[in-house]
Each structure stands twice: as structure tokens, then as C-alpha cells.
């Protein structure tokens, strides 16, 4: 390992420790820095490279700790001094507005009377024609993103140098504009995004904008597609990264052969591309490494990948130590490090095996096999260090990723380069750009088709919460780290790989037998401030509501629970109503599992309902609008669904569900006390085992009349972080007065009863 790489990784280790383990403990970090610096003197007792490495490592550790503290004091701490009580604030817009579920957002830099500008993300409700460089005035309420306030740290934002989130009230006034060159790339990115909208259809434009300029706003709104990309293991193709830099430079190199001319043209093009995509940590890493690669021949030096990676690491952390907490930053460096260390060894083992084999005579066939070998080796190398990170950050592992990457990466390369050509020609002559756009349009549709096909395969994604899967991954790690290091030949991979496949199949068969959700079990999932209830009736699975308003992904939580329980389809998905905390995870669930029937009330102009219904139709799910009492029998489980009985807000117009089986239960959604009394007049409710407490324990639900009528033994309250005071002490007291045993998901996690 080169000296620069040693210093970089030591510096990075200190920064990571400071950000993850010692956040806010400045004195302790400074103490560690001093101790490391003092201990470096031990190196004087040694000679040669050992002395140098000891001193490099310890002094880099000291520098990393000290710089973390200094950076926070200089750039992050001033965010607490933003005065929201003194009237309107001034900021400079740094990006184009992006749509959100409830309005728009922009990234800007607030200009305080004194001190450095402060990065902020601003949310507002009304459409405005803002562009990068505009100077705006506004009034807003702020909260910190660095974990020093009452909320958790928001890693993605602080990694970008954004230390405040602001919620604008009132109008935004544009009072001036800065027309410096630094705003040209973002304006150009906006122009390219607009051109893509003109050249491509609604089904392909969001993907192309994410692929070419990193604009993911429209793509993120397509939950089914983003879910398919993630589940199939190719979501990285629409997250601007080193792969896109490689595509861009390869495309340019095809036209510019002279190395000096390539450097003269390539460096500004590369820097412009990095600026257009926002200098994110992952694109900055790739850009810095590419700059080393371009400049090495000019200065008659060899380009060392590990040294280039170390240089990129130390430069990015010097510019912003908070970068290390970005998931994109971690995945980018982990993938690159895995490719550098292992891909060539894996490829060499496969290639040597092909050369030794005399079965493949055709040169064309050998070329195809070489391409497959290189592609798989690159994919596996990238996965070696990224798999544990995806398991930690997202809780998922895509088993189908190597195959999906093999099938699509060639198409991504062609689509990226032809998409760039179409946009350039579109600016010159729109009809010509439209003609060229036909090829990338087919490319996008092919990539999306493969992603959806792979994601639909059962167990294409498994979850790191499954201990058996973790053990299996440990075996895979041992296999794909030790064999390349031992310079194993291709034949030596066959038996371990076959055993890995057999072991995985056994795990997927055994996992459902582990005690969990047995037949006749009712489980209220811990989805935070929301509700999702799962009922098992032999081979049938019923899900009632699936949503959360406190940041948790209810759809993923429900899918993880069902997948780990060996259930790959849903017989009935019932939605009490279309509020986000009851339904915003449904699209994910529909995208990942086969759902036979969706039972819903009248949506009445709900945008969320429109998206859910549209996706359900695409997936071939039967949609049943419940307008009268509906009874369904599934084996020994009888379900009665009561139609909306109120005429007020949406809470009063929701469905109620009575389940009668091994466990009897009543689920009323967000029904208020007035609705409960109407339900009691409308239906003759029996005594029940479980009441899923209405409206997350609101004091306006779970009335005395309802408790007296159904006499539940157990009450389950589904709630999480909220500002409404749920569950209400009044509700808790009412339940205790009726001698009901209370379980809460915010205290106990998933609550399972029966089975």
C-alpha cells in the first residue's frame, strides 16, 4: 500500500470515529488527537519503512480528529446562530427547485450578517420560478441536521454541507441575482433536464434525467420503478457515480486519441459534469481518480489505483469531514476498493480456466465468455465491501444483483452515451435529437423491463434481519476472499459455489419454520407513527393498512416481515382509508409481492389513492370498492368488512374490519368516537380478543361505549414519534379502567398474538 493511501485511510478512520462514535465530544476527540500525535514518537525507536508507517498512521489519525473538531466549529456550529425572530432572511439559491409530496424544495446558502454562509434546504408550498444564483428573502423556521438538536442527524444533508432545514412561511422575494460562473453548471443541468422532457416520453424521461444529470425528483415519485431497481440490485445506475464518469470518459476517448489533447478536452468536460451533478461525494471520488488517470501520462507517471483512491479520500474528507457519513460516499469507496483488490484476481481465475479448457473453440464464443467473466468479476468485486453496508444501512441484500448487472450494464453504457448525443443534437436541431433519442428510449425500456422481471422473482432480495442469511453471507465472504488470494483455478470454484446455492435454498426453506408468524397469528407491525396489521390464516395472508408518517418505510417493513416468514403473496390487502400513515407503503408492497385482492373505500380525489389503484391494475390485482358490508371466509378465518359509516373528514369515512378465527380482532383505522358509536348501532359486534386501538391511541377514539360493547382482552397501540401526543394518557386510562392488557409497538416492536 502506498504511503499516501496509508495516510488517507488513517485520516479517514479518525474522521469516521469522530463522526460516528464520538459525535459532539470535542474534548475527547482532541484528547485522542493529542495522544496519537504523542504516540507517533514511538516510531523513532524503529528504522526505515516501519518508522515511517508508524508516524504516518498516528499523525494522520491525529490530523483527522483535530480537523473534524475544527470543521464543525467553523462551518456547522454557526447554524445555531441563525436568528429567525429578527424578520426576513437572505439566501442564495444553489440549485433548481425539486417537487416534493407537499410542495417544493431548494438548496440554498443563508447569508448571515457575519460569518460564513450556511448551507440550508428550504421547503415551501407554492410554485416559484427560482434558478441558481437568485438572491431571495423569506421567513422560515429552522431545525439543525447535525444531530445537535432534538432530531436525529440527517447524514445525507450534512455530507453535502447542509446544516439547516427551513420551512418557509409566506412569500419568497427575489431581490437580486449572482451571475458567476459557479452557477452555470447547474443552469446547464436544468437545460439538459428540460431537453430530456422534450425528447423522451413520460415513461422514459424520469430515468434519463437521473441517468444523465442526477435529477431524481421525477423518478423518485415512481415508487414501483424505484422499488424494482432497488430489489434487482441496479439502483446504482441512476445514482451518478464512478460508472457514469467512466462512460463519459470512454465516450470522449473514442473521438480524441491524442493523450495531451484528451487531457486538454477531458479535464474541463469532467469538471463540468461533476459540477452539473452537484459534486456529490461519490461523483467527486470518481472524478478525482479520473483526473489522476488522465494526468499520469502527461507527467510520465504510472497511475496507481489505490493511491488515486487514497488521494480522493483525503481530499474529500479535508473539504468536508461530514462526507464520510454519506451512504453514497461509503458505497462508492467500498465498491471501488473491492474492484481494485479482488476483481482482477477473480477475472484471472475464470480467464485461466477458459484458456485451459479446449471445449470452447470459437473466438467469438471466447470473447463473449471473456466479457461475461470481466463483468461478473467487476460486479462481485464491487459487492464484497458494499454488501455489509447495504445490510447495515438498508437491511437488504439483493441476491439477483450479479445477474441483473450482467444483463443490463452494457445497455446502461449504450443508453448513457447515446442519450448524451441525443441531448447535444436536440440543442442544435430538435428533430434530429428526437430521431437519435429512439435508441436510448429502447435501452431504457429494456433496463426497466429486466429490473421488473428480476425483482418479481421470489427472494430476489433478502433481509439482514434473518440470522441464517447473515451466516450464509459470512460463508460467501470466506469463499470469495480466500479463493482469489489462494489463486484458485476455475474448477476449484465449482464445488464451493454449488454448496453455496444448496445452502441458500435450504435457508429459504427452513426460515419459515422458525417460530414467528404461524397460522392464526395476528401481528401489528412496528412501523412508527402509522399502522400495518398482518393476519395469517394457513396459506392465506391478510394485510390491513400499510403506512407510516414518522420516516419508517412501512412497505419494506411489511415485506421484510412476510418474507422472513416464508410468505411470498398476499391474499387480501385492505385499506381503511388513504391517509399516508395508513397507505404510503402500499405501493412498495404491491411492487414486491403478488396481491390477489385490494379492498378499499371510495378514494374521493386522493392522489395517493390514484397511484395505488393505478399500480394495482398494472399488477393484475382485483380492486374491490367496499360500499356495503362484505363477508369473506378464508379457511377457519371469517372477515367482515364494514363500509364507511360517517360523512365528515376521511377518518370518519374509513372501513372497519372484524376478524373471527383463532384470534378475534377489531380494527377501526382512525375512526373517532362518533364513528364508533355509529358502528355499534350499525352492526352487532361480538366480544373480541384483540382491539387494534383506533387512531394510534388518540383521546378522540376508543370510547367507553366501544370498550363496553366488545370487551377486548388485549389492546394493541401502533404509534411512533409524533407531535400529537399519541397515545393519549386519557386513552390509556380508559383501557386500564376496563382491565385491558395494553401492548405498544413504540415500546415492544412488532406485537404478535396467537399462532
Amino acid at each position: 500500500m502506498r504511503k499516501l493511501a496509508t495516510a488517507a485511510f488513517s485520516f479517514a478512520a479518525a474522521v469516521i470515529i469522530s463522526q460516528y462514535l464520538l459525535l459532539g465530544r470535542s474534548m475527547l476527540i482532541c484528547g485522542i488527537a493529542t495522544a496519537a500525535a504523542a504516540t507517533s514518537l514511538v516510531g523513532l525507536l524503529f528504522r526505515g519503512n516501519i518508522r515511517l508507517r508508524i508516524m504516518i498512521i498516528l499523525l494522520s489519525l491525529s490530523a483527522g480528529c483535530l480537523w473534524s473538531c475544527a470543521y464543525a466549529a467553523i462551518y456547522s456550529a454557526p447554524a445555531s446562530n441563525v436568528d429567525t425572530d429578527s424578520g426576513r432572511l437572505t439566501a442564495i439559491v444553489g440549485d433548481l427547485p425539486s417537487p416534493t409530496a407537499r410542495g417544493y424544495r431548494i438548496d440554498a446558502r443563508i447569508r448571515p450578517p457575519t460569518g460564513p454562509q450556511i448551507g440550508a434546504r428550504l421547503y415551501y408550498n407554492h410554485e416559484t420560478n427560482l434558478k441558481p444564483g437568485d438572491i431571495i428573502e423569506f421567513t422560515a423556521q429552522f431545525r439543525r441536521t447535525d444531530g445537535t438538536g432534538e432530531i436525529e442527524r440527517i447524514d445525507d444533508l450534512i455530507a453535502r454541507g447542509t446544516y439547516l432545514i427551513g420551512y418557509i412561511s409566506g412569500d419568497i422575494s427575489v431581490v437580486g441575482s449572482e451571475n458567476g460562473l459557479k452557477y452555470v453548471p447547474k443552469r446547464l443541468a436544468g437545460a439538459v433536464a428540460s431537453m430530456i422532457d422534450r425528447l423522451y416520453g413520460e415513461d422514459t424521461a424520469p430515468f434519463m434525467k437521473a441517468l444523465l444529470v442526477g435529477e431524481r425528483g421525477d423518478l423518485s415519485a415512481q415508487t414501483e420503478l424505484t422499488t424494482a431497481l432497488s430489489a434487482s440490485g441496479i439502483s446504482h445506475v441512476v445514482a451518478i457515480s464512478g460508472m457514469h464518469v467512466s462512460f463519459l470518459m470512454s465516450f470522449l476517448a473514442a473521438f480524441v486519441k491524442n493523450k495531451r489533447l484528451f487531457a486538454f478536452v477531458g479535464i474541463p468536460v469532467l469538471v463540468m459534469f461533476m459540477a452539473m451533478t452537484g459534486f456529490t461525494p461519490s461523483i467527486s471520488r470518481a472524478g478525482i481518480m479520473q483526473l489522476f488517470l488522465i494526468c499520469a501520462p502527461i507527467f510520465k507517471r504510472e497511475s496507481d489505483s489505490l493511491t488515486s483512491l487514497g488521494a480522493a479520500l483525503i481530499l474529500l474528507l479535508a473539504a468536508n469531514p461530514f462526507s464520510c457519513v454519506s451512504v453514497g460516499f461509503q458505497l462508492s469507496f467500498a465498491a471501488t476498493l473491492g474492484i481494485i483488490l479482488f476483481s482482477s484476481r477473480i477475472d484471472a481465475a475464470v480467464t485461466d480456466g477458459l484458456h485451459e479448457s479446449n471445449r470452447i473453440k470459437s473466438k467469438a464464443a471466447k470473447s463473449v465468455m471473456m466479457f461475461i467473466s470481466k463483468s461478473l468479476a467487476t460486479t462481485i468485486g464491487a459487492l464484497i465491501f458494499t454488501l455489509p453496508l447495504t445490510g447495515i444501512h438498508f437491511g437488504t441484500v439483493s441476491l439477483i444483483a450479479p445477474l441483473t448487472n450482467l444483463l443490463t450494464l452494457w445497455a446502461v453504457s449504450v443508453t448513457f452515451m447515446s442519450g448524451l448525443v441525443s441531448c447535444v443534437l436536440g440543442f442544435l436541431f430538435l428533430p434530429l435529437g428526437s430521431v437519435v433519442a429512439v435508441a436510448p428510449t429502447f435501452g431504457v425500456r429494456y433496463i426497466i423491463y429486466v429490473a421488473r422481471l428480476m425483482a418479481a422473482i421470489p427472494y430476489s432480495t433478502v433481509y439482514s434481519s434473518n440470522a441464517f442469511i447473515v451466516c450464509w453471507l459470512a460463508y460467501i465472504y470466506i469463499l470469495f476472499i480466500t479463493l482469489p488470494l489462494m489463486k484458485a483455478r476455475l474448477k476449484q470454484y465449482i464445488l464451493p459455489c454449488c454448496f453455496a446455492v444448496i445452502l441458500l435454498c435450504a435457508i429459504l426453506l427452513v426460515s419459515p419454520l422458525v417460530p414467528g408468524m404461524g397460522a392464526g397469528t395476528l401481528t401489528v407491525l412496528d412501523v412508527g407513527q402509522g399502522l400495518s396489521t398482518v393476519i395469517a390464516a394457513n396459506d392465506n395472508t391478510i394485510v390491513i393498512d400499510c403506512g407510516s408518517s414518522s420516516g419508517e418505510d412501512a412497505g419494506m417493513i411489511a415485506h421484510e416481515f412476510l418474507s422472513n416468514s416464508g410468505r411470498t403473496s398476499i391474499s387480501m390487502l385492505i385499506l381503511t382509508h388513504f391517509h399516508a400513515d395508513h397507505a404510503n407503503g402500499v405501493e412498495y408492497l404491491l411492487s414486491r409481492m403478488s396481491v390477489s385482492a385490494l379492498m378499499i373505500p371510495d378514494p374521493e380525489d386522493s392522489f395517493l389513492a390514484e397511484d395505488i389503484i393505478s399500480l394495482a391494475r398494472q399488477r393484475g390485482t382485483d380492486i374491490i370498492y367496499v360500499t356495503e358490508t362484505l363477508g369473506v371466509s378464508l379457511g377457519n378465518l371469517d372477515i367482515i368488512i364494514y363500509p364507511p359509516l360517517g360523512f365528515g373528514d376521511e377518518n370518519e369515512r374509513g372501513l372497519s374490519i372484524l376478524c373471527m378465527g383463532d384470534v378475534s380482532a377489531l380494527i377501526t383505522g382512525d375512526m373517532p368516537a362518533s364513528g364508533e358509536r355509529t358502528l355499534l348501532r350499525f352492526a352487532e359486534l361480538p366480544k373480541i380478543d384483540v382491539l387494534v386501538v383506533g387512531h394510534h391511541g388518540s383521546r378522540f377514539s376508543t370510547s367507553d361505549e366501544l370498550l363496553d360493547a366488545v370487551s377486548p382482552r388485549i389492546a394493541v397501540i401502533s404509534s411512533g414519534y409524533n407531535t400529537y401526543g399519541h397515545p393519549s394518557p386519557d386513552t390509556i386510562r380508559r383501557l386500564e379502567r376496563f382491565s385491558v392488557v395494553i401492548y405498544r409497538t413504540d415500546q415492544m416492536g412488532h406485537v404478535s398474538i396467537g399462532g
Side-chain angles (χ1 to χ4, degrees):
M1 185 181 292
R2 304 295 190 270
K3 298 180 182 65
L4 178 60
T6 302
F9 291 124
S10 301
F11 185 89
V15 172
I16 291 170
I17 290 171
S18 301
Q19 300 301 332
Y20 275 104
L21 303 180
L22 303 173
L23 182 66
R25 301 176 183 177
S26 300
M27 294 302 296
L28 181 56
I29 295 174
C30 290
I32 294 173
T34 304
T39 309
S40 67
L41 297 176
V42 174
L44 298 175
L45 301 176
F46 299 88
R47 293 180 180 275
N49 286 332
I50 295 178
R51 171 194 290 184
L52 186 59
R53 287 180 179 177
I54 289 174
M55 299 191 74
I56 286 175
I57 291 172
L58 292 175
L59 289 175
S60 297
L61 284 170
S62 177
C65 290
L66 290 174
W67 180 232
S68 291
C69 291
Y71 187 93
I74 296 170
Y75 295 101
S76 174
S80 61
N81 298 325
V82 174
D83 185 4
T84 60
D85 298 325
S86 61
R88 294 172 72 80
L89 299 168
T90 302
I92 303 173
V93 177
D95 205 347
L96 293 167
S98 297
T100 67
R102 298 182 179 180
Y104 301 87
R105 66 171 171 83
I106 54 169
D107 290 329
R109 304 198 70 81
I110 296 174
R111 300 199 300 187
T114 59
Q117 296 180 355
I118 301 167
R121 175 159 288 181
L122 305 176
Y123 291 88
Y124 56 97
N125 297 324
H126 51 281
E127 186 174 1
T128 56
N129 187 26
L130 298 176
K131 57 185 182 296
D134 283 348
I135 302 173
I136 59 175
E137 286 187 352
F138 58 92
T139 301
Q141 293 295 319
F142 291 94
R143 62 177 184 172
R144 299 282 294 273
T145 63
D146 56 5
T148 58
E150 296 181 354
I151 64 169
E152 293 183 0
R153 186 177 62 184
I154 304 175
D155 291 346
D156 181 60
L157 292 182
I158 61 172
R160 295 169 176 261
T162 300
Y163 306 113
L164 289 173
I165 292 179
Y167 301 93
I168 295 177
S169 57
D171 296 330
I172 301 174
S173 301
V174 179
V175 296
S177 179
E178 285 191 354
N179 295 313
L181 291 176
K182 63 181 178 180
Y183 299 110
V184 171
K186 276 299 179 181
R187 292 177 179 176
L188 178 59
V192 172
S194 298
M195 178 55 65
I196 290 172
D197 282 329
R198 298 174 69 183
L199 295 175
Y200 295 89
E202 293 182 358
D203 62 327
T204 56
F207 187 98
M208 287 301 296
K209 284 191 282 189
L211 181 67
L212 296 183
V213 292
E215 174 52 58
R216 293 174 58 94
D218 292 343
L219 184 66
S220 297
Q222 299 184 9
T223 304
E224 185 269 340
L225 176 54
T226 55
T227 298
L229 293 172
S230 176
S232 61
I234 59 168
S235 58
H236 61 91
V237 303
V238 287
I240 297 293
S241 63
M243 180 181 67
H244 302 76
V245 169
S246 177
F247 291 160
L248 179 64
M249 292 295 99
S250 298
F251 178 69
L252 192 61
F255 298 96
V256 183
K257 303 297 184 181
N258 183 277
K259 291 182 178 179
R260 292 185 180 274
L261 180 59
F262 179 77
F264 180 77
V265 176
I267 290 175
V269 169
L270 177 58
V271 173
M272 176 62 76
F273 182 68
M274 292 165 66
M276 288 174 62
T277 53
F279 285 111
T280 60
S282 57
I283 197 68
S284 298
R285 188 276 310 160
I288 293 170
M289 291 187 68
Q290 192 68 42
L291 288 173
F292 272 82
L293 183 64
I294 293 173
C295 294
I298 298 175
F299 295 99
K300 298 181 179 179
R301 295 287 188 273
E302 292 185 5
S303 177
D304 178 73
S305 298
L306 202 57
T307 300
S308 300
L309 182 65
L313 180 61
I314 204 166
L315 286 173
L316 287 175
L317 293 180
N320 180 4
F322 288 115
S323 295
C324 71
V325 301
S326 164
V327 176
F329 175 94
Q330 295 172 18
L331 291 175
S332 177
F333 273 91
T336 306
L337 184 61
I339 291 170
I340 292 172
L341 295 180
F342 298 106
S343 290
S344 60
R345 291 186 173 94
I346 297 171
D347 184 42
V350 177
T351 303
D352 291 344
L354 291 174
H355 284 309
E356 292 176 1
S357 174
N358 294 321
R359 296 179 181 178
I360 303 177
K361 303 295 185 180
S362 169
K363 290 184 177 180
K366 284 189 175 182
S367 297
V368 171
M369 292 303 297
M370 294 294 183
F371 170 77
I372 293 174
S373 169
K374 191 173 185 63
S375 299
L376 279 177
T378 302
T379 300
I380 292 170
L383 288 173
I384 284 176
F385 292 127
T386 57
L387 269 180
L389 289 176
T390 55
I392 292 170
H393 290 296
F394 306 113
T396 62
V397 175
S398 176
L399 299 178
I400 207 73
L403 178 58
T404 313
N405 278 273
L406 181 64
L407 293 173
T408 59
L409 285 187
W410 66 269
V412 174
S413 173
V414 173
T415 302
F416 179 86
M417 291 185 283
S418 58
L420 283 179
V421 172
S422 70
C423 289
V424 172
L425 294 178
F427 283 114
L428 298 175
F429 185 57
L430 186 62
L432 182 58
S434 299
V435 171
V436 176
V438 173
T441 294
F442 281 110
V444 171
R445 288 172 179 167
Y446 168 77
I447 296 165
I448 292 174
Y449 172 78
V450 172
R452 286 172 171 158
L453 183 66
M454 296 294 104
I457 297 174
Y459 299 111
S460 59
T461 298
V462 293
Y463 292 88
S464 56
S465 58
N466 187 327
F468 294 107
I469 292 296
V470 174
C471 293
W472 179 79
L473 287 173
Y475 167 74
I476 295 296
Y477 266 80
I478 295 171
L479 174 65
F480 283 104
I481 290 177
T482 57
L483 289 181
L485 292 176
M486 294 169 57
K487 297 182 179 179
R489 296 182 180 276
L490 181 61
K491 292 181 179 179
Q492 294 173 291
Y493 281 80
I494 296 176
L495 185 60
C497 288
C498 290
F499 179 73
V501 173
I502 294 171
L503 182 61
L504 177 61
C505 293
I507 287 171
L508 297 179
L509 290 173
V510 169
S511 292
L513 303 179
V514 176
M517 190 182 71
T521 303
L522 179 145
T523 302
V524 181
L525 302 179
D526 178 17
V527 293
Q529 183 66 13
L531 180 63
S532 185
T533 304
V534 178
I535 302 172
N538 296 323
D539 294 333
N540 296 296
T541 304
I542 299 91
V543 177
I544 302 170
D545 285 347
C546 186
S548 176
S549 61
S550 54
E552 287 80 1
D553 190 330
M556 180 177 287
I557 292 170
H559 181 262
E560 176 181 0
F561 178 79
L562 293 171
S563 179
N564 287 345
S565 302
R567 294 179 179 267
T568 58
S569 63
I570 298 172
S571 305
M572 288 170 42
L573 176 56
I574 307 171
L575 300 184
T576 58
H577 60 298
F578 289 100
H579 281 173
D581 59 339
H582 289 252
N584 64 6
V586 172
E587 289 180 84
Y588 184 95
L589 206 53
L590 283 168
S591 301
R592 297 305 316 279
M593 304 193 82
S594 171
V595 178
S596 298
L598 173 66
M599 301 183 173
I600 56 176
D602 186 348
E604 293 195 11
D605 300 324
S606 166
F607 291 113
L608 178 58
E610 291 176 6
D611 293 339
I612 291 172
I613 293 169
S614 175
L615 180 56
R617 285 174 178 159
Q618 292 176 26
R619 303 285 291 180
T621 300
D622 292 332
I623 302 171
I624 301 171
Y625 295 91
V626 181
T627 57
E628 58 185 21
T629 302
L630 179 64
V632 180
S633 293
L634 297 171
N636 63 343
L637 176 67
D638 293 323
I639 299 176
I640 301 175
I641 306 173
Y642 298 108
L645 302 175
F647 302 96
D649 63 18
E650 196 166 352
N651 289 340
E652 298 182 58
R653 292 183 277 106
L655 305 181
S656 304
I657 300 95
L658 176 65
C659 304
M660 301 296 293
D662 294 338
V663 176
S664 57
L666 177 66
I667 301 165
T668 59
D670 283 349
M671 179 179 286
S674 59
E676 294 170 353
R677 288 188 285 269
T678 303
L679 177 62
L680 292 173
R681 291 193 296 269
F682 178 81
E684 186 175 344
L685 300 179
K687 307 299 182 184
I688 60 173
D689 298 317
V690 180
L691 173 67
V692 179
V693 175
H695 208 168
H696 321 289
S698 165
R699 66 188 180 93
F700 300 109
S701 299
T702 319
S703 61
D704 288 333
E705 293 91 337
L706 180 67
L707 293 173
D708 183 58
V710 299
S711 300
R713 294 188 300 105
I714 297 171
V716 183
I717 303 174
S718 179
S719 65
Y721 172 79
N722 66 90
T723 58
Y724 308 110
H726 296 163
S728 167
D730 293 343
T731 302
I732 299 293
R733 283 192 290 269
R734 279 199 298 273
L735 291 168
E736 291 175 342
R737 194 168 64 248
F738 280 85
S739 301
V740 182
V741 178
I742 302 171
Y743 297 126
R744 294 170 51 171
T745 60
D746 60 339
Q747 296 177 348
M748 304 175 62
H750 298 339
V751 176
S752 293
I753 301 168

